[in-house]
Coordinates of all heavy atoms in Angstrom, one line a residue:
M96 N 8.1 -17.2 22.7 CA 7.6 -18.5 22.5 C 8.7 -19.5 22.4 O 8.5 -20.7 22.7 CB 6.7 -18.5 21.2 CG 5.5 -17.6 21.3 SD 4.5 -17.9 22.7 CE 4.0 -16.2 23.2
T97 N 9.9 -19.1 22.0 CA 11.0 -20.0 22.1 C 11.3 -20.5 23.5 O 11.5 -21.6 23.7 CB 12.3 -19.3 21.4 OG1 12.0 -19.1 20.1 CG2 13.5 -20.2 21.6
A98 N 11.2 -19.5 24.4 CA 11.4 -19.8 25.8 C 10.3 -20.7 26.4 O 10.5 -21.6 27.1 CB 11.5 -18.5 26.7
L99 N 9.1 -20.4 26.0 CA 7.9 -21.2 26.5 C 8.0 -22.6 25.9 O 7.6 -23.5 26.6 CB 6.6 -20.6 26.1 CG 6.2 -19.2 26.8 CD1 4.7 -18.8 26.5 CD2 6.4 -19.3 28.3
A100 N 8.5 -22.7 24.6 CA 8.6 -24.1 24.1 C 9.5 -24.9 24.8 O 9.4 -26.2 24.8 CB 9.1 -23.9 22.6
S101 N 10.4 -24.3 25.5 CA 11.4 -25.1 26.3 C 10.8 -25.7 27.6 O 11.4 -26.6 28.3 CB 12.6 -24.2 26.7 OG 12.2 -23.3 27.7
L102 N 9.5 -25.4 27.9 CA 8.8 -25.9 29.0 C 7.9 -27.1 28.6 O 7.3 -27.8 29.5 CB 7.9 -24.8 29.6 CG 8.6 -23.7 30.3 CD1 7.6 -22.6 30.6 CD2 9.4 -24.1 31.6
T103 N 7.8 -27.4 27.3 CA 7.0 -28.5 26.9 C 7.7 -29.8 27.1 O 8.9 -29.9 27.3 CB 6.5 -28.4 25.4 OG1 7.7 -28.6 24.6 CG2 5.9 -27.0 25.1
N104 N 7.0 -31.0 26.9 CA 7.6 -32.3 26.9 C 7.8 -32.9 25.6 O 7.8 -34.1 25.3 CB 6.8 -33.2 27.8 CG 5.4 -33.4 27.2 OD1 5.0 -32.9 26.3 ND2 4.6 -34.3 28.0
G105 N 7.9 -31.9 24.5 CA 8.1 -32.4 23.1 C 8.9 -31.4 22.3 O 9.7 -30.6 22.9
V106 N 8.7 -31.4 21.0 CA 9.5 -30.5 20.2 C 8.6 -29.5 19.5 O 7.4 -29.8 19.1 CB 10.1 -31.4 19.0 CG1 10.8 -30.5 18.0 CG2 11.1 -32.4 19.6
T107 N 9.1 -28.3 19.4 CA 8.4 -27.2 18.8 C 9.2 -26.6 17.8 O 10.4 -26.4 18.0 CB 8.0 -26.1 19.9 OG1 7.2 -26.6 21.0 CG2 7.3 -25.0 19.2
V108 N 8.6 -26.2 16.6 CA 9.3 -25.5 15.5 C 8.7 -24.2 15.4 O 7.4 -24.0 15.3 CB 9.1 -26.4 14.2 CG1 9.9 -25.6 13.1 CG2 9.7 -27.7 14.4
L109 N 9.5 -23.1 15.3 CA 9.0 -21.7 15.2 C 9.7 -21.1 14.0 O 10.9 -21.2 13.7 CB 9.4 -20.9 16.4 CG 8.9 -21.5 17.8 CD1 10.0 -22.2 18.6 CD2 8.4 -20.3 18.6
T110 N 8.9 -20.3 13.2 CA 9.5 -19.6 12.1 C 8.7 -18.3 12.0 O 7.8 -17.9 12.8 CB 9.4 -20.4 10.8 OG1 10.1 -19.7 9.8 CG2 7.9 -20.6 10.4
G111 N 9.0 -17.5 11.0 CA 8.4 -16.2 10.8 C 8.5 -15.7 9.3 O 9.0 -16.5 8.5
D112 N 8.3 -14.5 9.1 CA 8.4 -13.9 7.7 C 9.9 -13.7 7.4 O 10.8 -14.0 8.3 CB 7.6 -12.7 7.5 CG 8.0 -11.5 8.3 OD1 9.1 -11.5 8.9 OD2 7.3 -10.5 8.3
R113 N 10.1 -13.1 6.2 CA 11.5 -12.9 5.8 C 12.3 -12.0 6.8 O 13.5 -12.3 7.0 CB 11.5 -12.4 4.4 CG 12.9 -12.1 3.8 CD 12.9 -11.5 2.4 NE 12.2 -12.4 1.5 CZ 12.1 -12.1 0.2 NH1 12.4 -10.9 -0.3 NH2 11.5 -12.9 -0.6

Side-chain angles (χ1 to χ4, degrees):
M96 299 307 140
T97 297
L99 291 191
S101 70
L102 294 167
T103 71
N104 60 1
V106 176
T107 303
V108 180
L109 304 102
T110 191
D112 68 8
R113 180 180 298 179

